Amino acid sequence: MKGRTMMSLRRTKIVAAGAGAALLLAGLSACSSTQSGSTTTASGSTTAAAGGLIGIAMPTKSLQRWNNDGSHLDELLKAAGYTTSLQYADNKVDQQITQLQNMINLNAKVLVIASIDGTALGPVLAQAKAKKIAVIAYDRLINGTADVDYYATFDNYKVGQLQGQYIETTLGLKDGKGPFNLEPFAGSPDDNNAKLFFAGAWDVLKPYVDSGKLVVPSGKAPASNADWTKIGIQGWKSDTAQSEMDNRLNSFYQGTKKVQVVLSPNDSLALGIEQSLESHAYKPGGDWPLVTGQDADQANVKNMLADKQAMTVWKDTRTLAEQVAKMVDEIIQGKTVDVNDTKTYDNGKGIVPTFQLPPQVVLKADVQKALVDSGFYKASDLGL
Ligand code: BGC
């Protein structure tokens, strides 16, 4: 199905499910704690509210960003008069499906889903569609089903591109500097974003691998973007990344050979990699390699301040939650849903109309301005 057709179909098939909520989302601040019309607890018990029930399915509590995403979206929706059911699934696909089934049984009006396995939700979303429940894919695209109505995310290809370009510029690769020893990592093979992060970075870096300016001693350099799952870390686990880095350092870096740059797609992997570097006696400010990341997780920002991580790609998750709260409201009120990308995100069944937000690079020198002055962290959270 073509993007435009798909989009107009998707727009018209979602009818006002309960125009009762008079909402002024634009005025809500990140720290709003007022709840009108609902007495919902964070774990999802529900009582009726004017706007109806919105199901929020998040993947795991074990990563800081999803806690921030979930609680912020929950706050915004409650303050706007909706009842919410906010659920975390411990990174277990079956658990997430059960949670979605419960939300469907409770007649949720909209499901907002940050999926664990982006290919596993087709059957449960068919149940949602049968009850005319709208579905928004949150941050991660849901693949292989026509029953996803909208997608809100950051520019995922750009995230990887920013990591690749940071490496290219910092090492002076464009000026012919090198060779440097690189170890590349990729994210979870079941996460559609991981593919895009890798492609963005590899499009910048692979030419230097081909020309010999970047050398991958472990041999774990994917031959093409499509090969990325070979170096994917299942479930984005820090400890798996740590043992993978341990193996590479133990097997391929004997004697004086040092790793000089690590492409890490996000902060949870970077954390494990940094622990491995530590245990292999690499010294910050000395032989410590350039390590990339994503998310500006608290532990990683602290590591940036301690010269153990060179950069992170920050996605201000408050803006994503705000955009999604707005989308929910537009859906419920039967308004045209605001999207800004109707070309990029084909989920195998058609283009999913998307609102895409810009990611940004944060370096040690930017921490105060970008992360503290903006209120994302308190100075004391970061030991500042
Ligand atoms: C998100 C990243 C996150 C990763 C692991 C990705 O889908 O876009 O921000 O680091 O999942 O949770």
Side-chain angles (χ1 to χ4, degrees):
M1 225 183 296
K2 293 285 170 292
R4 269 169 208 278
T5 331
M6 191 68 197
M7 175 140 150
S8 51
L9 257 185
R10 285 179 199 274
R11 277 188 175 166
T12 49
K13 74 187 168 180
I14 296 170
V15 288
L23 303 170
L24 286 170
L25 284 163
L28 296 176
S29 79
C31 49
S32 167
S33 58
T34 345
Q35 295 174 22
S36 58
S38 108
T39 51
T40 310
T41 65
S43 59
S45 63
T46 54
T47 58
L53 175 67
I54 312 299
I56 308 169
M58 289 283 144
T60 174
K61 272 191 161 291
S62 71
L63 218 81
Q64 189 192 345
R65 76 150 287 188
W66 302 116
N67 293 288
N68 296 345
D69 284 269
S71 59
H72 189 46
L73 182 57
D74 191 58
E75 260 174 32
L76 289 171
L77 290 171
K78 281 180 186 168
Y82 292 101
T83 304
T84 57
S85 174
L86 169 61
Q87 305 290 340
Y88 290 85
D90 198 20
N91 261 341
K92 297 191 175 87
V93 179
D94 288 350
Q95 197 168 319
Q96 186 166 61
I97 291 173
T98 305
Q99 290 171 344
L100 291 169
Q101 269 156 349
N102 289 339
M103 292 169 188
I104 293 167
N105 292 341
L106 288 167
N107 296 318
K109 302 266 194 271
V110 180
L111 301 179
V112 178
I113 307 168
S115 57
I116 296 162
D117 181 338
T119 61
L121 300 183
V124 72
L125 295 195
Q127 292 172 32
K129 192 49 40 157
K131 290 181 94 173
K132 296 195 168 43
I133 299 171
V135 172
I136 301 173
Y138 186 97
D139 192 78
R140 298 172 169 172
L141 186 59
I142 299 170
N143 281 312
T145 166
D147 298 330
V148 49
D149 299 290
Y150 297 100
Y151 180 34
T153 191
F154 290 86
D155 185 337
N156 293 301
Y157 181 86
K158 179 95 186 171
V159 169
Q161 193 179 46
L162 290 172
Q163 293 165 339
Q165 286 168 344
Y166 180 82
I167 291 173
E168 182 184 46
T169 309
T170 310
L171 298 185
L173 292 168
K174 264 193 194 156
D175 306 328
K177 301 245 172 73
F180 298 99
N181 291 331
L182 163 76
E183 290 302 329
F185 285 71
S188 192
D190 51 7
D191 181 349
N192 191 66
N193 287 352
K195 176 179 73 185
L196 297 168
F197 299 150
F198 188 76
W202 213 230
D203 282 346
V204 179
L205 299 178
K206 183 164 182 296
Y208 298 109
V209 175
D210 293 343
S211 71
K213 291 296 182 186
L214 289 174
V215 179
V216 182
S218 67
K220 298 208 170 179
S224 70
N225 289 359
D227 249 12
W228 71 276
T229 51
K230 288 191 185 139
I231 55 162
I233 300 290
Q234 185 64 41
W236 295 96
K237 287 195 167 165
S238 299
D239 51 1
T240 314
Q242 182 174 355
S243 40
E244 172 64 19
M245 192 65 189
D246 284 344
N247 288 340
R248 295 193 200 182
L249 291 175
N250 294 340
S251 309
F252 304 103
Y253 289 86
Q254 277 108 10
T256 54
K257 195 176 218 171
K258 297 278 174 190
V259 60
Q260 290 158 304
V261 49
V262 183
L263 171 68
S264 166
N266 87 332
D267 280 356
S268 63
L269 267 57
L271 205 59
I273 291 161
E274 287 152 14
Q275 264 148 18
S276 170
L277 290 166
E278 194 115 48
S279 68
H280 285 78
Y282 280 82
K283 294 277 171 276
D287 57 2
W288 195 275
L290 182 170
V291 182
T292 61
Q294 168 188 194
D295 291 334
D297 281 346
Q298 189 177 354
N300 296 75
V301 177
K302 286 183 168 174
N303 274 0
M304 279 171 52
L305 296 173
D307 295 323
K308 294 179 187 168
Q309 183 170 320
M311 59 92 80
T312 192
V313 179
W314 181 44
K315 305 186 297 191
D316 188 343
T317 48
R318 294 171 300 184
T319 59
L320 184 61
E322 275 151 28
Q323 194 61 42
V324 169
K326 185 165 163 273
M327 264 185 177
V328 166
D329 193 42
E330 287 162 345
I331 291 171
I332 300 261
Q333 297 212 46
K335 291 184 182 161
T336 301
V337 175
D338 191 15
V339 293
N340 62 8
D341 185 309
T342 53
K343 292 200 183 95
T344 309
Y345 292 99
D346 188 334
N347 79 344
K349 295 284 180 185
I351 305 274
V352 184
T354 297
F355 199 100
Q356 195 171 238
L357 293 155
Q360 86 183 67
V361 171
V362 170
L363 309 177
K364 181 180 181 179
D366 310 320
V367 167
Q368 176 72 36
K369 189 159 181 279
L371 303 178
V372 179
D373 296 351
S374 77
F376 195 72
Y377 285 120
K378 291 200 248 29
S380 56
D381 292 338
L382 306 174
L384 289 172

